[in-house]
Amino acid sequence: MSLDTQQLLKVLTSDRAVSGSELARRFGVTRAAIWKQIEVLRSLGVPVEAKAGDGYRLGAALDLLDPSTILASMPEYARSRVGALDLHWQIDSTNSELMRQAEGPDFAVCIAELQTSGRGRRGRNWHMPLTGGLALSLRKRFDSSMTALAGLSLVAGIALARALEDCGFDGIGLKWPNDVQVDRRKLAGILVELGGDALGPCHAVIGIGINLRLDNEIAQHIDQPWIDLAGLAKDALPTRNRLAARLLVRLIEALDQFTESGFPSFADVFAQYDVLRGQQVRISIANRHRDGMAIGIDAGGALRVRADDGEFSVDSGEVSVRARAENGA
Ligand code: BTN
């Protein structure tokens, strides 16, 4: 039998050590092959302890994802809407996977323990240690044109903020267009991609990445202040299955409302989470910058900015909050 890290992980527990020779016998490989896979697990951040004469055991139980646990903890009205819930041990990107599937049920969901090419906005990479984050993508079909989907990523941000609140976290803010922050540090990100016919019908893949417990190896790839749920939790962290379940419930609710009433019905709620409002900001699009004060969101989800020469709105771009000294304040 060949051996991969996932199979090995299924056999290792935190309760009882398993010897290298027992593992080798079980998988029909050499002890050296077992040791090699143990090293791969460790490089993924899995705490595998080894004791001479005893064997291998996990330093702590792993919080792995399980679709049936996720579905079982969702209320029936939301569970019945989930068209598919596929868990991958390892995949390039959950967003890419759903974008590749041209056809499929509405509310198709893809989750993964590991992403080898997790993607962030603006061509960035998204890094997540094994069980140290949540990577979830959901595809929803729309009869409307793509232009009618303006504001969709803000709606996903609201759903994510509510899901985090359901799990006991507070102080959640949204930085236009779709970063979730606490104390100005990034906790989660959203990547919305569109496919199908620009004039409709079309579909959106909403990809969400949440930092649960980042390690130094991952943190060194992040080019902005960040935070994880472990740094925020007052009590025990929610399981990743619970987090995924609340996220799906909130996404389904929000997407139903969005389909029925559009972004304007979310504008007031977004304002409650808006961390940019009243801040001096710099909007960067390609190599051009414009400065001004963020003054909220318009009915189409664009960011409104008041500059010295008047007001303008942007529907894409990178926003940075300008330090007080830069404004002479
Ligand atoms: C960002 O803030 O830059 C967006 C990050 C989005 C990351 C998630 S993880 C699940 C889904 N799959 C991906 O490849 N990206 C999104």
Side-chain angles (χ1 to χ4, degrees):
M1 189 196 291
S2 69
L3 171 66
D4 64 25
T5 46
Q6 186 184 12
Q7 290 168 320
L8 185 55
L9 202 50
K10 278 190 182 146
V11 178
L12 294 174
T13 67
S14 55
D15 310 334
R16 175 183 93 82
V18 195
S19 72
S21 36
E22 186 185 331
L23 291 169
R25 226 182 4 260
R26 188 167 181 150
F27 291 107
V29 297
T30 61
R31 283 172 62 187
I34 295 291
W35 177 80
K36 212 166 140 196
Q37 290 301 324
I38 294 281
E39 287 304 302
V40 174
L41 282 176
R42 285 180 172 148
S43 73
L44 294 171
V46 180
V48 188
E49 295 175 350
K51 224 184 191 174
D54 196 8
Y56 299 105
R57 75 159 74 208
L58 296 180
L62 284 187
D63 177 24
L64 294 171
L65 291 168
D66 175 39
S68 40
T69 308
I70 295 172
L71 290 170
S73 52
M74 290 170 69
E76 171 54 26
Y77 74 88
R79 181 170 54 235
S80 63
R81 306 290 303 285
V82 176
L85 174 50
D86 294 329
L87 167 65
H88 297 260
W89 169 252
Q90 181 167 303
I91 199 167
D92 53 350
S93 146
T94 53
N95 260 41
S96 303
E97 174 62 9
L98 288 182
M99 288 298 283
R100 278 191 291 264
Q101 299 171 5
E103 294 295 319
D106 216 14
F107 289 117
V109 180
C110 179
I111 48 178
E113 294 292 6
L114 291 166
Q115 292 190 119
T116 51
S117 304
R119 294 184 291 112
R121 291 179 59 241
R122 312 188 89 71
R124 293 193 180 101
N125 296 321
W126 183 263
H127 302 276
M128 175 186 81
L130 182 68
T131 74
L134 181 67
L136 179 149
S137 300
L138 174 148
R139 190 185 52 221
K140 165 95 180 83
R141 189 182 175 282
F142 294 92
D143 290 327
S144 62
S145 68
M146 289 185 186
T147 356
L149 302 188
L152 178 61
S153 66
L154 280 60
V155 169
I158 291 171
L160 174 49
R162 285 174 168 161
L164 290 166
E165 287 167 351
D166 292 344
C167 292
F169 297 97
D170 45 33
I172 309 289
L174 296 174
K175 175 176 175 252
W176 185 95
N178 42 22
D179 278 359
V180 175
Q181 294 189 336
V182 173
D183 293 337
R184 293 205 180 170
R185 292 186 286 169
K186 182 160 173 169
L187 175 65
I190 299 166
L191 176 68
V192 175
E193 297 179 290
L194 303 181
D197 193 327
L199 298 175
C202 60
H203 57 265
V205 171
I206 299 169
I208 291 182
I210 306 176
N211 301 333
L212 265 97
R213 186 178 273 115
L214 297 191
D215 53 32
N216 292 338
E217 157 66 17
I218 298 284
Q220 72 186 9
H221 297 289
I222 307 178
D223 60 359
Q224 58 185 301
W226 60 269
I227 194 161
D228 55 17
L229 291 181
L232 287 175
K234 294 177 213 102
D235 307 307
L237 275 182
T239 64
R240 294 162 73 232
N241 289 321
R242 167 154 167 75
L243 196 55
R246 289 316 305 168
L247 186 52
L248 290 179
V249 171
R250 292 302 194 172
L251 278 169
I252 290 168
E253 277 173 10
L255 290 169
D256 281 349
Q257 182 182 333
F258 181 72
T259 307
E260 204 150 289
S261 317
F263 181 74
S265 69
F266 289 92
D268 288 349
V269 182
F270 188 87
Q272 290 163 24
Y273 289 108
D274 186 355
V275 297
L276 291 181
R277 202 185 187 102
Q279 299 283 335
Q280 292 295 331
V281 294
R282 165 161 291 178
I283 319 291
S284 307
I285 305 172
N287 291 328
R288 299 191 49 227
H289 307 299
R290 281 195 81 177
D291 295 338
M293 180 192 278
I295 54 170
I297 303 295
D298 72 15
L303 179 69
R304 294 171 58 213
V305 181
R306 187 179 300 135
D308 289 344
D309 55 354
E311 198 182 308
F312 65 95
S313 296
V314 281
D315 52 22
S316 69
E318 191 75 355
V319 184
S320 49
V321 175
R322 300 174 69 212
R324 282 173 174 273
E326 270 184 70
N327 306 308

